[in-house]
């Protein structure tokens, strides 16, 4: 089993890469920084799986095409892709710059499109595969100061459903996952907030009274990618402790 995880150097991506490695997968960990990718690959190998780092900025068409072709050259195939790389920029829409908008949309939405296109073109020649796109419960509800992020993730869901319908005939199962608040480096950018304060604030937003863990999301990605979910396609699995219900 060959698995590609983008944004695999940290947070949910790293937890998912480790979980696939525990299942014996060969895992390609993709991301922007060579240094953090090397650390991530060492952590994934500790789980007993085989792993390789491939630098890739998912906003670049050329780099994404290269990522998938290098994966196939190195490991012979691509069975499962977790399109997880994403960014969130917080701010009022009235003050959001066009450059900030572009950064969010080009990473979260265009990146997912570019990855899916390259992955599908390989998988359809290879007899099928599984794709899981990381959306967010912010696609289902409004959250303060996250309009661009929410819009980009809602579009990821729409893209997921459309592609699922088109490619199921070629045995490519495409689904999304929508986590609620998970304490990862994504939210660690407020200089005025300690990690404890951050966790408390995020937990208070969820009716469950706690944040999710990267491992809880990873487990659901593995389930969606498994034969147990063989008849599930075009679905969005919300993992948010009822926050968006
Ligand atoms: P994270 O910051 O640890 O992970 C995001 C990863 O994406 C990082 O490794 C980052 O370097 C990488 N990345 C960003 N831009 C990239 C680019 N252009 N090219 C390649 N890699 C890039 O945070 P996370 O919470 O683990 O986020 C993973 C995914 O989960 C994101 O898509 C995020 O939107 C989604 N998500 C997170 C939460 C949460 O509360 N943490 C909730 C819902 C959805």
């Amino acid at each position: 089993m060959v698995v590609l995880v983008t944004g695999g150097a940290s947070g949910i991506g790293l937890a998912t890469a480790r979980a696939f490695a525990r299942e014996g997968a060969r895992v390609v960990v993709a991301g922007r920084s060579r240094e953090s990718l090397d650390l991530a690959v060492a952590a994934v190998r500790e789980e007993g799986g085989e792993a390789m780092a491939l630098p890739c900025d998912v906003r670049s068409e050329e780099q994404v095409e290269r990522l998938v072709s290098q994966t196939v050259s190195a490991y012979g195939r691509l069975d499962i892709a977790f399109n997880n790389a994403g960014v969130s920029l917080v701010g009022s829409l009235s003050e959001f710059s066009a450059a900030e908008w572009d950064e969010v949309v080009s990473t979260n939405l265009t990146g997912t499109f570019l990855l899916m296109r390259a992955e599908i073109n390989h998988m359809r020649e290879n007899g099928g595969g599984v794709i899981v796109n990381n959306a967010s419960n912010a696609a289902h509800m409004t959250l303060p100061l996250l309009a661009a992020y929410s819009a980009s993730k809602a579009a990821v869901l729409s893209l997921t459903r459309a592609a699922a319908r088109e490619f199921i005939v070629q045995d490519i199962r495409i689904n999304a996952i929508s986590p609620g608040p998970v304490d990862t480096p994504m939210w660690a950018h407020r200089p005025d907030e300690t990690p404890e304060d951050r966790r408390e604030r995020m937990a208070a937003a969820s009716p469950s009274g706690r944040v999710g863990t990267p491992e809880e999301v990873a487990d659901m990605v593995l389930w969606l990618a498994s034969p147990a979910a063989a008849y599930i396609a075009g679905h969005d699995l919300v993992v948010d402790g009822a926050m968006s219900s």
Side-chain angles (χ1 to χ4, degrees), residues 165-207:
R165 196 182 178 98
E166 186 173 353
F167 295 104
I168 191 71
V169 291
Q170 283 160 310
D171 263 340
I172 303 173
R173 272 197 315 111
I174 305 175
N175 288 293
I177 192 150
S178 278
V182 180
D183 189 22
T184 65
M186 175 167 275
W187 302 117
H189 47 63
R190 289 198 192 177
D192 53 331
E193 200 174 44
T194 66
E196 291 70 36
D197 290 346
R198 182 178 66 248
R199 256 190 299 280
E200 245 172 62
R201 176 178 55 77
M202 291 170 72
S206 171

Side-chain angles (χ1 to χ4, degrees), residues 1-236:
M1 174 169 60
V2 178
V3 180
L4 168 63
V5 179
T6 65
S10 58
I12 295 167
L14 178 56
T16 306
R18 294 180 75 142
F20 273 118
R22 281 196 290 278
E23 298 294 308
R26 288 179 288 170
V27 185
V28 173
V29 184
R32 281 175 304 181
S33 139
R34 166 56 79 175
E35 202 185 352
S36 54
L37 283 178
D38 287 343
L39 288 172
V41 161
V44 173
R45 286 187 183 141
E46 270 173 29
E47 305 289 350
E50 209 177 301
M52 181 175 74
L54 288 178
C56 172
D57 185 326
V58 301
R59 294 170 297 183
S60 156
E61 185 169 13
E62 190 199 331
Q63 290 182 39
V64 166
E65 289 292 329
R66 199 182 325 130
L67 171 67
V68 173
S69 65
Q70 284 180 335
T71 299
V72 174
S73 324
Y75 286 148
R77 52 191 295 122
L78 171 63
D79 300 301
I80 298 168
F82 181 37
N83 298 326
N84 163 76
V87 289
S88 129
L89 298 182
V90 178
S92 162
L93 206 58
S94 66
E95 287 154 16
F96 224 63
S97 69
E100 289 172 316
W101 171 268
D102 272 351
E103 185 178 344
V104 172
V105 173
S106 64
T107 308
N108 297 355
L109 178 57
T110 310
T112 303
F113 152 66
L114 293 172
L115 285 157
M116 284 173 76
R117 188 180 62 184
E119 292 154 1
I120 286 167
N121 283 331
H122 166 71
M123 287 172 177
R124 71 206 302 198
E125 280 171 17
N126 210 41
V130 177
I131 295 174
V132 180
N133 295 324
N134 200 343
S136 168
N137 73 344
H140 296 273
M141 61 186 292
T142 55
L143 291 163
L145 307 179
L146 279 176
Y149 180 75
S150 293
S152 71
K153 293 297 192 173
V156 165
L157 291 187
S158 193
L159 189 64
T160 301
R161 282 194 291 268
R165 196 182 178 98
E166 186 173 353
F167 295 104
I168 191 71
V169 291
Q170 283 160 310
D171 263 340
I172 303 173
R173 272 197 315 111
I174 305 175
N175 288 293
I177 192 150
S178 278
V182 180
D183 189 22
T184 65
M186 175 167 275
W187 302 117
H189 47 63
R190 289 198 192 177
D192 53 331
E193 200 174 44
T194 66
E196 291 70 36
D197 290 346
R198 182 178 66 248
R199 256 190 299 280
E200 245 172 62
R201 176 178 55 77
M202 291 170 72
S206 171
S208 66
R210 68 170 180 90
V211 293
T213 66
E215 291 73 23
E216 284 172 319
V217 180
D219 284 348
M220 292 302 99
V221 176
L222 262 70
W223 181 78
L224 274 176
S226 76
Y231 201 49
I232 298 183
H235 182 66
D236 175 40

